[in-house]
């Protein structure tokens, strides 16, 4: 019976690439537009709206903090610039991010501009490729602590857990 439940969970697993229109909670981040759930455009939630991160000063240390924020390992994170994973739309929330590497989330990083202030357009959207997560790990998005949407790691990427049954 246990193997049947695990099999059903794996069958219902989908990639972590929520749409930009999906609801977000304050301080949430998401990865959008890559070919696998752990890579894509780096997006952040502020005022219940998704927005992008400008690539000014965006580098490896920032990508490490972003990956850690989601629940991926940080060692081996790769930063991308120039809207490598496509241009976002709407707000650009963060610009001139200067993470030192010890921050628990991207919003805790020092930055040169207030949230929502920037000198960028979407051709400068930052991207990230996170190292594979550990299969079986669970993180929560769009919430705080142990509340929110549970995401299960399977084959190196996080995805939702279906409750269809």
């Amino acid at each position: 019976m246990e193997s049947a439940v695990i099999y059903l969970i794996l069958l219902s697993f989908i990639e972590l690439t929520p749409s930009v229109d999906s609801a977000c909670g304050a301080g949430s981040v998401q990865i959008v537009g890559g070919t696998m759930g752990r890579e894509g455009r780096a997006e952040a939630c502020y005022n219940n709206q998704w927005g992008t991160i400008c690539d000014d000063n965006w580098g490896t240390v920032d990508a490490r903090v972003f990956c850690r924020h989601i629940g991926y390992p940080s060692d081996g994170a790769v930063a991308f610039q120039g809207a490598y994973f496509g241009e976002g739309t709407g707000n650009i929330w963060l610009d001139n991010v200067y993470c030192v590497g010890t921050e628990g989330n991207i919003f805790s990083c020092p930055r040169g501009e207030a949230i929502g202030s920037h000198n960028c357009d979407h051709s400068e959207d930052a991207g990230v490729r996170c190292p594979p997560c550990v299969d079986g790990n669970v993180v929560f998005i769009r919430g705080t602590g142990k509340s929110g949407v549970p995401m299960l790691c399977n084959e190196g990427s996080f995805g939702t857990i279906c409750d269809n049954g």
Side-chain angles (χ1 to χ4, degrees):
M1 179 68 176
E2 182 179 56
S3 62
V5 171
I6 292 171
Y7 181 71
L8 287 173
I9 289 172
L10 293 176
L11 282 177
S12 64
F13 189 83
I14 62 170
E15 227 178 283
L16 172 62
T17 311
S19 84
V20 177
D21 296 329
S22 63
C24 65
S28 295
V29 294
Q30 68 179 0
I31 300 173
V32 176
T35 58
M36 60 183 119
R38 61 187 179 88
E39 71 172 15
R41 187 174 52 257
E43 296 193 352
C45 178
Y46 183 72
N47 278 347
N48 296 315
Q49 296 178 6
W50 288 113
T52 62
I53 299 172
C54 182
D55 68 7
D56 292 349
N57 300 304
W58 183 255
T60 301
V61 175
D62 309 307
R64 286 180 182 161
V65 172
F66 188 92
C67 290
R68 184 181 313 123
H69 187 157
I70 292 181
Y72 284 99
S74 57
D75 288 341
V78 179
F80 292 86
Q81 297 184 337
Y84 184 86
F85 294 103
E87 294 184 11
T89 59
N91 297 304
I92 299 173
W93 288 132
L94 301 175
D95 187 15
N96 293 311
V97 176
Y98 299 99
C99 297
V100 296
T102 57
E103 300 87 355
N105 70 72
I106 200 72
F107 288 100
S108 297
C109 295
R111 56 190 172 274
E113 311 294 333
I115 295 176
S117 295
H118 61 85
N119 61 351
C120 305
D121 60 44
H122 286 293
S123 68
E124 298 175 82
D125 286 343
V128 66
R129 178 179 299 130
C130 298
C133 55
V134 177
D135 284 355
N137 280 3
V138 175
V139 297
F140 293 85
I141 62 169
R142 298 189 201 106
T144 57
K146 299 290 182 189
S147 67
V149 178
M151 305 296 286
L152 173 70
C153 180
N154 182 51
E155 296 181 4
S157 292
F158 284 109
T160 58
I161 302 169
C162 182
D163 67 355
N164 285 357

